[in-house]
């Protein structure tokens, strides 16, 4: 027993001693990779490898969903179908956080200080010819705006309306964006100089590039208190979308004077993988509406209050009382589509300090039967940092 304890202690002491050595070797490798093969007339690395930044972020997400339902089967004053559009357009939201990195490899976290009640987590790994960036954005909303249109059963005239729909249980939205790129002119052009300030761009240069993007979003409002909203969304209470896109692009770094850098990137992309999962729900609200239509003479039962709404997964048994019942979860693979990635960055270096601001815009469409949608997401990130 004593020998085992001694051996175990010896192992941990050797392992603890080895950790700084391993870390030092990794850092030396990153230092070498940072300057290896570069044309130093165009790109140079700062002597101090660490970047510590205080970040501010402003963003907005615009989600639009449309559906067409069989209104005549549920509403006595409707002829034919009902077109329904819900739109979640968040207030311009503000975040504050920190970023720490070594030679372009680091992570950051920002918390909301106004707007959409969310958080942002980012990881970045950028080398001379490649880069990988992860962004996770979560937020809630309780007041989507809506529009609707249908034909009146008596006059056969269109009826239109809209306003704000007050969800009693907030809609949860989460987006994950992972993008990667490869540069063809790494000797003279640096992506790092514009987005993580781990190197300097000394002269103007551009580069063709190829990129790939993984996008995943989950839109969830599958709570009993939202039964009326789910009903109008063609019984869908949750949508999950996954896309993988690739495409060519071009980026250019413009250096008008020492210390100042203006960078722009444009990359049209083809979405080769496009999967959408939809979760359907039945509810006591739907059954009550159908019962009222089937029995014009009201029964001696109290009306259902919104706080009595109950939803449950649609199943095959529902089709006995609800012929249009859908399967609980349905997955669809969409056709090849197009999207884009656009970015603009402004950086100014002075000594060991720097300031930077950059903007990015995403667009992600989706379609499921009579339900379609688009999500636009833009953000502006600004930081003040120091090299250590």
């Amino acid at each position: 027993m004593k020998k085992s304890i001694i051996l175990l202690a010896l192992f941990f002491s050797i392992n603890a001693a080895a950790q700084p050595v391993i870390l030092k070797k990794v850092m030396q490798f990153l230092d070498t990779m940072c300057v290896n093969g570069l044309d130093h007339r165009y790109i140079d690395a700062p002597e101090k490898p660490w970047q510590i930044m205080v970040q501010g972020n402003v963003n907005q997400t615009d989600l639009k969903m449309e559906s067409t339902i069989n209104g005549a089967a549920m509403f006595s004053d409707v002829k034919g179908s009902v077109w329904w559009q819900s739109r979640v357009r968040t207030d311009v939201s503000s975040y504050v956080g920190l970023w720490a990195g070594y030679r372009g490899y680091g992570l950051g976290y920002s918390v909301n200080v106004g707007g959409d009640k969310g958080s942002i987590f980012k990881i970045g790994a950028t080398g001379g010819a490649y880069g990988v960036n992860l962004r996770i954005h979560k937020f809630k909303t309780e007041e989507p705006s809506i529009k609707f249109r249908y034909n009146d059963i008596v006059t056969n005239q269109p009826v239109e309306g809209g306003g704000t729909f007050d969800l009693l249980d907030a809609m949860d939205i989460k987006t994950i964006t992972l993008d990667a790129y490869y540069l063809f002119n790494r000797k003279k052009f640096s992506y790092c100089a514009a987005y993580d300030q781990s190197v300097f761009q000394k002269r103007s240069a551009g580069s063709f590039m190829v990129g790939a993007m993984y996008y995943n979003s989950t839109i969830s409002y599958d709570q009993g208190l939202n039964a009326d909203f789910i009903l109008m969304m063609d019984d869908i209470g949750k949508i999950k979308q996954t896309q993988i896109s690739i495409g060519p692009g071009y980026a250019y770094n413009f250096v008008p004077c020492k210390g100042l850098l203006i960078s722009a990137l444009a990359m049209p992309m083809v979405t080769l993988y496009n999967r959408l999962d939809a979760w359907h729900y039945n509810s006591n609200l739907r059954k009550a509406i159908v019962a009222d239509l089937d029995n014009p003479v009201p029964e001696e039962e109290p009306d259902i209050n919104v706080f009595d709404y109950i939803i449950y997964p649609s199943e095959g048994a529902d089709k006995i009382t609800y012929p249009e019942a859908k399967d609980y979860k349905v997955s669809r693979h969409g056709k090849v589509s197009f999207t884009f990635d656009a970015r603009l960055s402004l950086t100014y270096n002075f000594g060991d300090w720097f300031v930077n601001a950059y903007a990015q815009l995403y667009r992600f469409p989706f379609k499921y039967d009579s339900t379609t949608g688009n999500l636009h997401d833009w953000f502006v990130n600004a930081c003040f940092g120091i090299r250590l």
Side-chain angles (χ1 to χ4, degrees), residues 139-355:
F139 65 95
K140 297 176 179 286
T141 183
E142 299 172 349
E143 297 182 337
S145 61
I146 59 100
K147 294 181 181 179
F148 61 83
R149 182 174 62 246
Y150 65 89
N151 285 346
D152 185 90
I153 195 169
V154 177
T155 64
N156 197 29
Q157 295 297 312
V159 178
E160 298 182 357
T164 299
F165 197 104
D166 294 322
L167 292 173
L168 296 179
D169 207 316
M171 178 185 296
D172 289 300
I173 301 174
K174 176 183 178 181
T175 63
I176 301 173
T177 307
L178 175 65
D179 60 68
Y181 68 86
Y182 182 83
L183 300 170
F184 293 102
N185 187 20
R186 67 174 297 267
K187 291 184 178 181
K188 297 182 178 181
F189 173 87
S190 173
Y191 191 81
C192 308
Y195 293 97
D196 62 34
Q197 291 71 53
S198 58
V199 299
F200 300 117
Q201 183 81 43
K202 300 163 66 176
R203 293 185 180 182
S204 300
S207 177
F208 287 100
M209 59 197 305
V210 292
M213 180 182 296
Y214 168 84
Y215 169 77
N216 179 278
S217 68
T218 302
I219 305 162
S220 178
Y221 44 93
D222 52 347
Q223 301 297 326
L225 294 176
N226 297 331
D228 47 356
F229 189 80
I230 292 172
L231 184 68
M232 299 307 296
M233 285 302 300
D234 200 19
D235 300 327
I236 294 176
K238 180 180 178 181
I239 298 172
K240 184 177 181 180
Q241 181 187 15
T242 303
Q243 293 186 348
I244 298 177
S245 307
I246 60 173
Y250 187 80
Y252 190 79
N253 283 348
F254 176 55
V255 183
C257 61
K258 184 178 179 180
L260 180 61
L261 172 63
I262 302 171
S263 179
L265 174 149
M267 183 179 293
M269 309 188 84
V270 179
T271 301
L272 301 177
Y273 180 86
N274 190 355
R275 170 172 171 156
L276 189 140
D277 299 313
W279 284 260
H280 297 99
Y281 293 87
N282 202 344
S283 67
N284 57 348
L285 173 64
R286 172 180 276 281
K287 287 191 173 183
I289 292 175
V290 173
D292 287 343
L293 291 177
D294 293 340
N295 302 283
V297 179
E299 299 178 1
E300 294 298 326
E301 293 183 0
D303 294 334
I304 297 178
N305 186 279
V306 292
F307 293 102
D308 298 324
Y309 288 168
I310 298 173
I311 65 169
Y312 49 90
S314 293
E315 299 174 354
D318 295 333
K319 296 180 180 180
I320 299 174
T321 55
Y322 168 30
E324 296 180 353
K326 304 171 180 63
D327 293 330
Y328 171 48
K329 179 184 176 183
V330 178
S331 300
R332 298 285 174 84
H333 291 272
K335 298 179 181 179
V336 173
S337 60
F338 298 91
T339 184
F340 61 84
D341 185 2
R343 307 181 192 187
L344 182 66
S345 171
L346 177 66
T347 303
Y348 184 69
N349 295 282
F350 49 102
D352 293 332
W353 301 86
F354 58 87
V355 292

Side-chain angles (χ1 to χ4, degrees), residues 54-173:
V54 177
Q55 293 187 326
N57 181 283
V58 177
N59 69 69
Q60 185 177 46
T61 299
D62 187 358
L63 170 66
K64 185 186 295 184
M65 298 185 293
E66 299 180 2
S67 63
T68 302
I69 66 174
N70 184 358
M74 291 183 291
F75 307 110
S76 59
D77 59 341
V78 173
K79 179 180 180 180
S81 60
V82 174
W83 172 81
W84 174 272
Q85 179 194 89
S86 65
R87 186 173 188 178
V88 176
R89 192 173 190 176
T90 66
D91 295 333
V92 177
S93 303
S94 303
Y95 291 77
V96 173
L98 294 173
W99 165 275
Y102 185 90
R103 297 296 189 196
Y105 296 81
L107 54 85
Y109 184 75
S110 300
V111 295
N112 175 265
V113 292
D116 61 20
K117 302 177 184 178
S119 61
I120 298 174
F121 176 70
K122 295 185 291 185
I123 296 177
T126 54
Y130 64 90
V132 179
N133 295 283
L134 171 67
R135 181 174 184 262
I136 301 175
H137 184 201
K138 299 179 181 180
F139 65 95
K140 297 176 179 286
T141 183
E142 299 172 349
E143 297 182 337
S145 61
I146 59 100
K147 294 181 181 179
F148 61 83
R149 182 174 62 246
Y150 65 89
N151 285 346
D152 185 90
I153 195 169
V154 177
T155 64
N156 197 29
Q157 295 297 312
V159 178
E160 298 182 357
T164 299
F165 197 104
D166 294 322
L167 292 173
L168 296 179
D169 207 316
M171 178 185 296
D172 289 300
I173 301 174

Side-chain angles (χ1 to χ4, degrees), residues 332-388:
R332 298 285 174 84
H333 291 272
K335 298 179 181 179
V336 173
S337 60
F338 298 91
T339 184
F340 61 84
D341 185 2
R343 307 181 192 187
L344 182 66
S345 171
L346 177 66
T347 303
Y348 184 69
N349 295 282
F350 49 102
D352 293 332
W353 301 86
F354 58 87
V355 292
N356 169 261
Y358 68 89
Q360 189 159 359
L361 172 66
Y362 301 107
R363 173 184 176 272
F364 301 101
F366 63 85
K367 177 176 175 59
Y368 172 79
D369 291 345
S370 62
T371 301
T372 60
N374 278 284
L375 187 144
H376 292 81
D377 195 3
W378 66 263
F379 66 89
V380 176
N381 193 82
C383 73
F384 178 71
I386 185 173
R387 296 180 180 90
L388 301 173

